[in-house]
Coordinates of all heavy atoms in Angstrom, one line a residue:
M1 N -10.9 1.0 28.3 CA -11.2 1.0 26.8 C -11.3 -0.4 26.3 O -10.5 -0.9 25.5 CB -10.1 1.8 26.1 CG -10.1 3.2 26.4 SD -11.6 4.0 25.8 CE -11.2 4.4 24.1
K2 N -12.3 -1.1 26.7 CA -12.5 -2.5 26.3 C -12.8 -2.6 24.8 O -12.2 -3.5 24.2 CB -13.7 -3.1 27.1 CG -13.3 -4.3 28.0 CD -14.5 -4.9 28.6 CE -14.1 -6.2 29.4 NZ -15.2 -6.7 30.1
L3 N -13.6 -1.7 24.3 CA -13.9 -1.8 22.9 C -12.7 -1.6 22.0 O -12.5 -2.3 21.1 CB -15.0 -0.7 22.6 CG -15.5 -0.8 21.2 CD1 -16.3 -2.1 20.9 CD2 -16.4 0.4 20.9
L4 N -11.9 -0.6 22.4 CA -10.7 -0.3 21.6 C -9.8 -1.6 21.5 O -9.3 -1.9 20.5 CB -10.0 0.8 22.2 CG -8.8 1.3 21.4 CD1 -9.3 2.0 20.0 CD2 -8.0 2.4 22.1
K5 N -9.7 -2.2 22.7 CA -8.9 -3.4 22.8 C -9.4 -4.5 21.8 O -8.6 -5.2 21.1 CB -8.8 -3.9 24.2 CG -7.4 -4.2 24.7 CD -7.5 -4.7 26.1 CE -6.1 -5.1 26.6 NZ -6.0 -5.6 27.9
K6 N -10.7 -4.6 21.8 CA -11.4 -5.6 21.0 C -11.1 -5.3 19.5 O -10.8 -6.2 18.7 CB -12.9 -5.6 21.3 CG -13.5 -6.9 21.2 CD -15.0 -6.8 21.6 CE -15.7 -8.1 21.5 NZ -17.1 -8.0 21.9
I7 N -11.3 -4.0 19.2 CA -11.0 -3.6 17.8 C -9.6 -3.9 17.4 O -9.3 -4.4 16.3 CB -11.4 -2.1 17.6 CG1 -12.9 -1.9 17.7 CG2 -11.0 -1.6 16.2 CD1 -13.4 -0.5 17.8
M8 N -8.7 -3.5 18.3 CA -7.3 -3.7 18.0 C -6.9 -5.1 17.8 O -6.1 -5.5 16.9 CB -6.4 -3.1 19.1 CG -6.1 -1.6 18.9 SD -5.1 -1.0 20.2 CE -3.5 -1.6 19.9
H9 N -7.6 -6.0 18.6 CA -7.3 -7.4 18.4 C -7.8 -7.9 17.1 O -7.3 -8.8 16.5 CB -8.0 -8.1 19.6 CG -7.6 -9.5 19.7 ND1 -6.3 -9.9 20.1 CD2 -8.2 -10.7 19.4 CE1 -6.2 -11.2 20.1 NE2 -7.4 -11.7 19.7
A10 N -8.9 -7.3 16.6 CA -9.6 -7.7 15.4 C -8.8 -7.2 14.2 O -9.0 -7.7 13.1 CB -11.0 -7.3 15.3
S11 N -8.0 -6.1 14.4 CA -7.4 -5.5 13.2 C -6.2 -6.4 12.7 O -5.8 -7.3 13.3 CB -6.9 -4.1 13.6 OG -5.5 -4.1 13.6
L12 N -5.8 -6.0 11.5 CA -4.7 -6.8 10.9 C -3.4 -6.5 11.5 O -3.2 -5.5 12.2 CB -4.7 -6.5 9.4 CG -6.0 -6.7 8.6 CD1 -5.9 -6.2 7.2 CD2 -6.5 -8.2 8.6
T13 N -2.4 -7.3 11.2 CA -1.0 -7.0 11.5 C -0.4 -6.2 10.3 O -1.0 -6.2 9.2 CB -0.2 -8.3 11.7 OG1 -0.2 -9.0 10.5 CG2 -0.8 -9.2 12.8
C14 N 0.7 -5.6 10.6 CA 1.4 -4.8 9.5 C 1.7 -5.7 8.3 O 1.6 -5.3 7.2 CB 2.7 -4.3 10.1 SG 2.4 -3.0 11.3
R15 N 2.1 -7.0 8.6 CA 2.4 -7.9 7.6 C 1.2 -8.2 6.7 O 1.3 -8.3 5.5 CB 2.9 -9.2 8.2 CG 4.0 -9.9 7.5 CD 4.1 -11.3 8.0 NE 4.4 -12.2 6.9 CZ 5.6 -12.4 6.3 NH1 6.6 -11.7 6.8 NH2 5.8 -13.2 5.3
Q16 N 0.1 -8.4 7.4 CA -1.2 -8.6 6.6 C -1.6 -7.4 5.8 O -2.1 -7.6 4.6 CB -2.3 -9.0 7.6 CG -2.2 -10.4 8.1 CD -3.2 -10.7 9.1 OE1 -3.4 -9.9 10.1 NE2 -4.0 -11.8 9.0
V17 N -1.4 -6.3 6.3 CA -1.7 -5.1 5.5 C -0.8 -5.0 4.3 O -1.4 -4.8 3.2 CB -1.4 -3.8 6.4 CG1 -1.4 -2.5 5.5 CG2 -2.5 -3.6 7.5
E18 N 0.4 -5.4 4.4 CA 1.3 -5.5 3.2 C 0.7 -6.5 2.2 O 0.7 -6.2 1.0 CB 2.7 -5.9 3.6 CG 3.6 -4.7 3.8 CD 5.0 -5.2 4.1 OE1 5.7 -5.8 3.3 OE2 5.5 -4.9 5.3
E19 N 0.3 -7.6 2.7 CA -0.1 -8.7 1.9 C -1.4 -8.3 1.2 O -1.6 -8.7 0.0 CB -0.4 -10.0 2.7 CG 0.9 -10.8 2.9 CD 0.6 -11.9 3.9 OE1 -0.5 -12.4 4.1 OE2 1.6 -12.4 4.5
F20 N -2.3 -7.6 1.9 CA -3.6 -7.3 1.4 C -3.7 -6.0 0.6 O -4.7 -5.7 0.0 CB -4.7 -7.2 2.5 CG -5.0 -8.5 3.1 CD1 -5.4 -8.6 4.5 CD2 -4.9 -9.7 2.4 CE1 -5.7 -9.8 5.1 CE2 -5.1 -11.0 3.0 CZ -5.6 -11.0 4.4
L21 N -2.6 -5.3 0.6 CA -2.6 -3.9 0.0 C -3.1 -3.9 -1.4 O -4.0 -3.1 -1.8 CB -1.2 -3.3 0.1 CG -1.2 -1.8 -0.3 CD1 -2.2 -1.0 0.4 CD2 0.2 -1.3 -0.1
M22 N -2.6 -4.8 -2.3 CA -3.0 -4.9 -3.7 C -4.5 -5.1 -3.8 O -5.2 -4.4 -4.5 CB -2.3 -6.0 -4.4 CG -1.0 -5.7 -4.9 SD -1.0 -4.6 -6.3 CE -0.1 -5.7 -7.5
D23 N -5.0 -6.1 -3.0 CA -6.4 -6.4 -3.1 C -7.2 -5.2 -2.6 O -8.3 -4.9 -3.1 CB -6.7 -7.6 -2.3 CG -6.2 -8.9 -2.9 OD1 -6.0 -8.9 -4.2 OD2 -5.9 -9.9 -2.2
Y24 N -6.7 -4.6 -1.6 CA -7.4 -3.4 -1.0 C -7.5 -2.3 -2.0 O -8.6 -1.8 -2.2 CB -6.7 -2.9 0.2 CG -7.2 -1.6 0.7 CD1 -8.4 -1.5 1.4 CD2 -6.5 -0.4 0.5 CE1 -8.9 -0.3 1.9 CE2 -7.0 0.8 1.0 CZ -8.2 0.9 1.7 OH -8.6 2.0 2.1
L25 N -6.4 -2.0 -2.7 CA -6.4 -0.9 -3.7 C -7.3 -1.2 -4.9 O -7.9 -0.4 -5.5 CB -5.0 -0.6 -4.1 CG -4.1 0.0 -3.1 CD1 -2.7 0.2 -3.7 CD2 -4.6 1.4 -2.6
E26 N -7.5 -2.5 -5.2 CA -8.3 -2.9 -6.3 C -9.7 -3.3 -5.8 O -10.5 -3.9 -6.5 CB -7.6 -4.1 -7.0 CG -6.5 -3.5 -7.8 CD -5.6 -4.6 -8.5 OE1 -6.1 -5.7 -8.6 OE2 -4.5 -4.3 -8.8
K27 N -10.0 -3.1 -4.5 CA -11.3 -3.3 -3.9 C -11.7 -4.7 -4.0 O -12.9 -5.0 -4.3 CB -12.3 -2.4 -4.5 CG -12.0 -0.9 -4.3 CD -13.1 0.0 -4.8 CE -12.9 1.5 -4.3 NZ -11.6 2.1 -4.6
R28 N -10.8 -5.6 -3.8 CA -11.2 -7.1 -3.9 C -11.4 -7.7 -2.5 O -11.6 -8.9 -2.4 CB -10.1 -7.8 -4.6 CG -10.1 -7.6 -6.1 CD -9.2 -8.6 -6.9 NE -7.9 -8.5 -6.4 CZ -6.8 -8.3 -7.1 NH1 -6.9 -8.3 -8.4 NH2 -5.6 -8.3 -6.6
L29 N -11.1 -6.9 -1.5 CA -11.3 -7.4 -0.1 C -12.7 -7.5 0.3 O -13.5 -6.6 -0.1 CB -10.5 -6.6 0.9 CG -9.0 -6.6 0.8 CD1 -8.4 -5.6 1.8 CD2 -8.4 -8.0 1.0
G30 N -13.1 -8.4 1.2 CA -14.4 -8.5 1.7 C -14.7 -7.3 2.7 O -13.7 -6.6 3.0
L31 N -15.9 -7.1 3.0 CA -16.3 -6.0 3.9 C -15.6 -6.0 5.2 O -15.0 -5.0 5.7 CB -17.8 -6.0 4.1 CG -18.4 -4.8 4.7 CD1 -18.3 -3.6 3.8 CD2 -19.9 -5.0 5.1
W32 N -15.5 -7.2 5.8 CA -14.9 -7.3 7.2 C -13.4 -7.1 7.1 O -12.8 -6.4 7.9 CB -15.2 -8.7 7.7 CG -14.5 -9.0 9.0 CD1 -13.7 -10.0 9.3 CD2 -14.6 -8.2 10.3 NE1 -13.3 -10.0 10.6 CE2 -13.9 -8.9 11.2 CE3 -15.3 -7.1 10.6 CZ2 -13.7 -8.4 12.5 CZ3 -15.2 -6.6 11.9 CH2 -14.4 -7.2 12.8
T33 N -12.7 -7.6 6.1 CA -11.3 -7.4 5.9 C -11.0 -6.0 5.6 O -10.0 -5.4 6.2 CB -10.7 -8.3 4.8 OG1 -11.3 -9.6 4.9 CG2 -9.2 -8.4 4.9
T34 N -11.8 -5.4 4.8 CA -11.7 -3.9 4.5 C -11.8 -3.1 5.8 O -10.9 -2.2 6.0 CB -12.7 -3.4 3.5 OG1 -12.7 -4.3 2.4 CG2 -12.5 -2.0 3.1
L35 N -12.7 -3.5 6.6 CA -12.9 -2.8 7.9 C -11.6 -3.0 8.8 O -11.1 -2.0 9.4 CB -14.1 -3.3 8.6 CG -14.5 -2.6 9.9 CD1 -15.1 -1.2 9.5 CD2 -15.6 -3.4 10.7
Q36 N -11.2 -4.2 8.9 CA -10.0 -4.5 9.7 C -8.8 -3.7 9.1 O -7.9 -3.2 9.9 CB -9.7 -6.0 9.6 CG -10.6 -6.8 10.5 CD -10.3 -8.3 10.3 OE1 -10.3 -8.8 9.2 NE2 -10.0 -8.9 11.4
F37 N -8.7 -3.6 7.8 CA -7.7 -2.9 7.2 C -7.7 -1.4 7.6 O -6.7 -0.9 8.0 CB -7.9 -3.0 5.6 CG -6.7 -2.8 4.8 CD1 -5.9 -3.8 4.4 CD2 -6.4 -1.5 4.4 CE1 -4.7 -3.6 3.6 CE2 -5.2 -1.2 3.6 CZ -4.4 -2.3 3.2
H38 N -8.9 -0.8 7.5 CA -9.0 0.6 7.9 C -8.6 0.8 9.3 O -8.0 1.8 9.6 CB -10.5 1.0 7.6 CG -10.8 1.4 6.2 ND1 -10.4 2.6 5.7 CD2 -11.3 0.6 5.2 CE1 -10.8 2.6 4.4 NE2 -11.3 1.4 4.1
V39 N -9.1 -0.1 10.2 CA -8.8 0.0 11.6 C -7.2 0.0 11.8 O -6.7 0.9 12.5 CB -9.4 -1.1 12.4 CG1 -8.9 -1.1 13.9 CG2 -10.9 -0.9 12.4
H40 N -6.6 -0.9 11.2 CA -5.1 -0.9 11.3 C -4.4 0.3 10.8 O -3.6 0.9 11.5 CB -4.5 -2.1 10.6 CG -3.1 -2.3 10.8 ND1 -2.5 -3.0 11.8 CD2 -2.0 -1.7 10.2 CE1 -1.2 -2.9 11.8 NE2 -0.9 -2.1 10.8
I41 N -4.8 0.8 9.6 CA -4.3 2.0 9.0 C -4.5 3.2 9.9 O -3.6 4.0 10.1 CB -4.9 2.3 7.6 CG1 -4.9 1.1 6.7 CG2 -4.3 3.5 7.0 CD1 -3.6 0.7 6.2
F42 N -5.7 3.2 10.5 CA -6.0 4.3 11.4 C -5.1 4.4 12.6 O -4.8 5.5 13.1 CB -7.5 4.2 11.8 CG -8.0 5.3 12.7 CD1 -8.2 6.5 12.2 CD2 -8.2 5.1 14.0 CE1 -8.6 7.6 13.0 CE2 -8.7 6.1 14.8 CZ -8.9 7.3 14.3
M43 N -4.7 3.2 13.1 CA -3.9 3.2 14.3 C -2.4 3.1 14.1 O -1.6 3.2 15.0 CB -4.4 2.0 15.2 CG -5.7 2.3 15.7 SD -6.2 0.9 16.8 CE -6.1 -0.5 15.8
C44 N -2.0 2.8 12.8 CA -0.6 2.5 12.6 C 0.1 3.5 11.7 O -0.2 3.4 10.5 CB -0.4 1.1 12.1 SG 1.2 0.6 11.7
P45 N 0.9 4.4 12.2 CA 1.5 5.4 11.3 C 2.5 4.8 10.3 O 2.6 5.3 9.2 CB 2.3 6.3 12.3 CG 2.3 5.6 13.6 CD 1.2 4.6 13.6
N46 N 3.1 3.7 10.7 CA 4.0 3.0 9.7 C 3.3 2.6 8.5 O 3.8 2.8 7.4 CB 4.6 1.8 10.4 CG 5.6 2.2 11.5 OD1 6.1 3.3 11.4 ND2 5.9 1.3 12.4
C47 N 2.1 2.0 8.6 CA 1.4 1.5 7.5 C 0.8 2.6 6.7 O 0.7 2.5 5.5 CB 0.3 0.5 7.9 SG 1.0 -1.1 8.3
T48 N 0.4 3.7 7.4 CA -0.1 4.8 6.7 C 0.9 5.4 5.7 O 0.7 5.7 4.6 CB -0.5 6.0 7.7 OG1 -1.4 5.4 8.7 CG2 -1.2 7.1 7.0
K49 N 2.2 5.4 6.2 CA 3.3 5.9 5.4 C 3.6 4.9 4.3 O 3.8 5.3 3.2 CB 4.5 6.1 6.3 CG 5.6 6.9 5.8 CD 6.6 7.2 6.8 CE 7.9 7.7 6.1 NZ 9.0 6.8 6.3
Y50 N 3.6 3.7 4.6 CA 3.9 2.6 3.6 C 2.9 2.7 2.5 O 3.3 2.7 1.3 CB 3.8 1.3 4.3 CG 4.0 0.1 3.4 CD1 5.2 -0.2 2.9 CD2 2.9 -0.6 2.9 CE1 5.4 -1.3 2.0 CE2 3.0 -1.7 2.1 CZ 4.3 -2.0 1.6 OH 4.4 -3.1 0.7
I51 N 1.6 2.9 2.8 CA 0.6 2.9 1.8 C 0.7 4.2 0.9 O 0.5 4.1 -0.3 CB -0.8 2.8 2.4 CG1 -1.0 1.3 2.8 CG2 -1.9 3.2 1.4 CD1 -2.2 1.1 3.7
Q52 N 1.0 5.3 1.6 CA 1.2 6.5 0.8 C 2.3 6.4 -0.2 O 2.2 6.8 -1.3 CB 1.5 7.7 1.8 CG 1.2 9.0 1.3 CD -0.2 9.1 0.6 OE1 -1.2 8.8 1.2 NE2 -0.2 9.5 -0.7
E53 N 3.4 5.8 0.3 CA 4.5 5.6 -0.6 C 4.2 4.6 -1.7 O 4.6 4.8 -2.9 CB 5.8 5.1 0.2 CG 6.4 6.2 0.9 CD 7.5 5.7 1.9 OE1 7.8 4.5 1.9 OE2 8.0 6.5 2.7
Y54 N 3.5 3.6 -1.4 CA 3.1 2.6 -2.4 C 2.2 3.3 -3.5 O 2.4 3.1 -4.7 CB 2.3 1.5 -1.7 CG 2.0 0.3 -2.6 CD1 3.0 -0.7 -2.6 CD2 0.9 0.2 -3.3 CE1 2.8 -1.8 -3.4 CE2 0.6 -0.9 -4.1 CZ 1.6 -1.9 -4.1 OH 1.4 -3.0 -4.9
K55 N 1.2 4.1 -3.0 CA 0.4 4.8 -4.0 C 1.2 5.7 -4.9 O 0.9 5.8 -6.1 CB -0.7 5.6 -3.2 CG -1.9 4.7 -2.8 CD -2.9 5.6 -2.1 CE -4.1 4.8 -1.7 NZ -5.0 5.6 -0.9
N56 N 2.1 6.4 -4.3 CA 3.0 7.3 -5.1 C 3.7 6.6 -6.1 O 3.8 7.0 -7.3 CB 4.0 8.0 -4.2 CG 3.3 9.1 -3.3 OD1 2.2 9.5 -3.5 ND2 4.0 9.5 -2.3
T57 N 4.2 5.4 -5.7 CA 5.0 4.6 -6.7 C 4.1 4.1 -7.8 O 4.5 4.2 -9.0 CB 5.6 3.4 -6.0 OG1 6.3 3.8 -4.8 CG2 6.5 2.6 -6.9
I58 N 2.9 3.7 -7.5 CA 1.9 3.2 -8.5 C 1.6 4.4 -9.5 O 1.6 4.2 -10.7 CB 0.6 2.7 -7.9 CG1 0.9 1.6 -6.9 CG2 -0.4 2.3 -9.0 CD1 0.7 0.2 -7.4
A59 N 1.4 5.5 -8.9 CA 1.0 6.7 -9.8 C 2.1 7.0 -10.7 O 1.9 7.3 -11.9 CB 0.7 7.9 -8.9
L60 N 3.3 7.0 -10.2 CA 4.5 7.2 -11.0 C 4.7 6.2 -12.1 O 5.0 6.5 -13.2 CB 5.8 7.2 -10.0 CG 7.0 7.9 -10.6 CD1 6.8 9.4 -10.4 CD2 8.2 7.4 -9.9
E61 N 4.5 5.0 -11.7 CA 4.6 3.9 -12.7 C 3.6 4.1 -13.8 O 4.0 3.9 -15.0 CB 4.3 2.6 -11.9 CG 5.1 1.4 -12.5 CD 5.0 0.2 -11.6 OE1 4.0 0.0 -10.9 OE2 5.9 -0.6 -11.7
K62 N 2.4 4.4 -13.5 CA 1.4 4.7 -14.5 C 1.8 5.8 -15.4 O 1.7 5.7 -16.6 CB 0.1 5.0 -13.8 CG -0.7 3.8 -13.4 CD -2.1 4.2 -13.0 CE -2.8 2.9 -12.5 NZ -3.8 3.3 -11.5
Q63 N 2.4 6.8 -14.8 CA 2.9 8.0 -15.6 C 3.9 7.5 -16.6 O 3.9 7.9 -17.8 CB 3.5 9.0 -14.7 CG 2.8 10.3 -14.7 CD 3.5 11.2 -13.7 OE1 4.6 11.0 -13.2 NE2 2.8 12.3 -13.3
I64 N 4.8 6.7 -16.2 CA 5.9 6.2 -17.0 C 5.3 5.4 -18.2 O 5.7 5.5 -19.3 CB 6.9 5.4 -16.2 CG1 7.7 6.3 -15.3 CG2 7.9 4.7 -17.2 CD1 8.5 5.6 -14.2
F65 N 4.3 4.5 -17.9 CA 3.8 3.6 -18.9 C 2.9 4.4 -19.9 O 2.7 4.0 -21.0 CB 3.0 2.5 -18.3 CG 4.0 1.4 -17.8 CD1 4.0 1.1 -16.4 CD2 4.9 0.8 -18.6 CE1 4.8 0.1 -15.9 CE2 5.8 -0.1 -18.1 CZ 5.8 -0.5 -16.8
Q66 N 2.3 5.5 -19.4 CA 1.5 6.3 -20.3 C 2.4 7.1 -21.3 O 1.9 7.5 -22.3 CB 0.6 7.3 -19.5 CG -0.7 6.6 -19.1 CD -1.4 7.4 -18.0 OE1 -1.0 8.5 -17.7 NE2 -2.4 6.8 -17.4
N67 N 3.6 7.4 -20.9 CA 4.5 8.1 -21.8 C 5.8 7.2 -22.0 O 6.8 7.5 -21.5 CB 5.0 9.4 -21.2 CG 3.8 10.2 -20.7 OD1 3.0 10.7 -21.4 ND2 3.7 10.3 -19.4
P68 N 5.6 6.2 -22.8 CA 6.7 5.2 -22.8 C 7.9 5.6 -23.7 O 8.6 4.7 -24.2 CB 6.0 3.9 -23.3 CG 4.8 4.4 -24.1 CD 4.5 5.8 -23.7
D69 N 8.0 6.8 -24.0 CA 9.2 7.2 -24.7 C 10.5 7.2 -23.8 O 10.4 7.5 -22.6 CB 9.1 8.5 -25.5 CG 8.8 9.6 -24.6 OD1 7.7 9.6 -23.9 OD2 9.5 10.6 -24.5
E70 N 11.6 6.9 -24.4 CA 12.8 6.7 -23.5 C 13.2 7.9 -22.8 O 13.7 7.8 -21.7 CB 13.9 6.2 -24.4 CG 13.8 4.7 -24.7 CD 14.9 4.2 -25.5 OE1 16.1 4.7 -25.5 OE2 14.7 3.2 -26.3
E71 N 12.9 9.0 -23.4 CA 13.3 10.3 -22.7 C 12.6 10.4 -21.4 O 13.2 10.8 -20.4 CB 12.9 11.5 -23.6 CG 14.1 12.4 -23.8 CD 13.7 13.5 -24.8 OE1 13.5 13.2 -26.0 OE2 13.5 14.7 -24.3
A72 N 11.3 10.1 -21.3 CA 10.6 10.2 -20.0 C 11.2 9.3 -19.0 O 11.4 9.7 -17.8 CB 9.1 9.9 -20.3
I73 N 11.5 8.1 -19.4 CA 12.1 7.1 -18.5 C 13.5 7.6 -18.0 O 13.9 7.5 -16.9 CB 12.2 5.7 -19.1 CG1 10.8 5.2 -19.3 CG2 13.0 4.8 -18.2 CD1 10.7 3.9 -20.1
G74 N 14.3 8.2 -19.0 CA 15.6 8.7 -18.7 C 15.6 9.8 -17.7 O 16.5 10.1 -16.9
N75 N 14.4 10.5 -17.6 CA 14.3 11.6 -16.6 C 13.9 11.2 -15.2 O 13.9 12.1 -14.3 CB 13.3 12.6 -17.2 CG 13.8 13.4 -18.3 OD1 15.0 13.6 -18.5 ND2 12.9 13.9 -19.2
V76 N 13.6 10.0 -15.0 CA 13.2 9.5 -13.7 C 14.5 9.3 -12.9 O 15.4 8.6 -13.3 CB 12.4 8.2 -13.7 CG1 12.1 7.7 -12.3 CG2 11.2 8.4 -14.6
P77 N 14.5 10.0 -11.7 CA 15.7 9.8 -10.9 C 16.0 8.4 -10.5 O 15.0 7.6 -10.3 CB 15.4 10.7 -9.6 CG 14.3 11.6 -10.0 CD 13.6 10.9 -11.1
D78 N 17.2 8.0 -10.3 CA 17.6 6.6 -10.0 C 16.9 6.1 -8.7 O 16.5 4.9 -8.7 CB 19.1 6.5 -9.8 CG 19.8 6.3 -11.1 OD1 19.1 6.1 -12.1 OD2 21.0 6.2 -11.1
D79 N 16.8 6.9 -7.7 CA 16.2 6.4 -6.4 C 14.8 6.1 -6.6 O 14.3 5.1 -6.0 CB 16.5 7.4 -5.3 CG 16.0 8.8 -5.6 OD1 15.8 9.1 -6.8 OD2 15.8 9.6 -4.6
I80 N 14.1 6.8 -7.5 CA 12.7 6.4 -7.7 C 12.6 5.1 -8.5 O 11.7 4.3 -8.2 CB 12.0 7.6 -8.5 CG1 11.9 8.8 -7.5 CG2 10.6 7.2 -8.9 CD1 11.3 10.1 -8.1
L81 N 13.4 5.0 -9.5 CA 13.5 3.7 -10.2 C 13.7 2.5 -9.3 O 13.1 1.5 -9.3 CB 14.5 3.7 -11.3 CG 14.1 4.4 -12.6 CD1 15.3 4.5 -13.6 CD2 12.9 3.8 -13.3
Q82 N 14.7 2.8 -8.4 CA 15.0 1.7 -7.4 C 13.8 1.4 -6.5 O 13.5 0.2 -6.2 CB 16.1 2.2 -6.5 CG 17.5 2.1 -7.1 CD 17.9 0.8 -7.7 OE1 17.6 -0.3 -7.1 NE2 18.4 0.7 -8.9
A83 N 13.0 2.4 -6.2 CA 11.8 2.2 -5.3 C 10.8 1.4 -6.1 O 10.2 0.4 -5.5 CB 11.2 3.5 -4.9
I84 N 10.7 1.6 -7.4 CA 9.7 0.9 -8.2 C 10.2 -0.6 -8.3 O 9.4 -1.5 -8.1 CB 9.6 1.4 -9.6 CG1 8.9 2.8 -9.5 CG2 8.8 0.5 -10.5 CD1 9.0 3.6 -10.8
I85 N 11.4 -0.8 -8.5 CA 11.9 -2.1 -8.6 C 11.8 -2.9 -7.3 O 11.3 -4.0 -7.3 CB 13.4 -2.1 -9.0 CG1 13.6 -1.6 -10.5 CG2 14.1 -3.5 -8.9 CD1 14.9 -1.1 -10.9
S86 N 12.0 -2.3 -6.2 CA 11.9 -3.0 -4.9 C 10.5 -3.3 -4.6 O 10.2 -4.3 -4.0 CB 12.6 -2.2 -3.8 OG 11.9 -1.0 -3.6
V87 N 9.5 -2.4 -5.0 CA 8.1 -2.8 -4.7 C 7.7 -4.0 -5.6 O 7.0 -4.9 -5.1 CB 7.2 -1.5 -5.1 CG1 5.8 -1.9 -5.1 CG2 7.4 -0.5 -4.0
K88 N 8.2 -4.0 -6.8 CA 7.8 -5.1 -7.7 C 8.4 -6.4 -7.2 O 7.8 -7.5 -7.4 CB 8.4 -4.8 -9.1 CG 7.6 -3.9 -9.9 CD 7.8 -4.0 -11.3 CE 6.6 -3.4 -12.1 NZ 6.4 -3.9 -13.4
R89 N 9.5 -6.4 -6.5 CA 10.1 -7.6 -6.1 C 9.4 -8.3 -4.9 O 9.5 -9.4 -4.6 CB 11.6 -7.4 -5.7 CG 12.5 -7.4 -6.8 CD 13.9 -7.4 -6.4 NE 14.8 -7.2 -7.5 CZ 15.9 -6.4 -7.5 NH1 16.2 -5.8 -6.4 NH2 16.6 -6.3 -8.5
Q90 N 8.6 -7.5 -4.2 CA 8.0 -8.0 -3.0 C 6.9 -9.0 -3.3 O 6.2 -8.9 -4.2 CB 7.3 -6.8 -2.2 CG 8.4 -6.2 -1.3 CD 7.9 -4.9 -0.7 OE1 6.7 -4.6 -0.8 NE2 8.8 -4.1 -0.2
Ligands
ZN1 ZN1 1.0 -1.4 10.6

């Protein structure tokens, strides 16, 4: 599987995926980087999971900001708030 090896070599590292994730979601990556990004996600279950969780967090965050009354925020479980805070710190 020479081709696969070549593709794997061209793909990003998990660290780069983390770094590029924001740009990827906002479609600011170039075509080649986007391709490398997809290749890595396709082959790496860890990053697939990471991105899924990241997207969930963003969706949740948007929900909170769309309903900025204190009651809505008070209803968010602590562990989800912690997840949001830890994502922001990265
Ligand atoms: Zn990865």
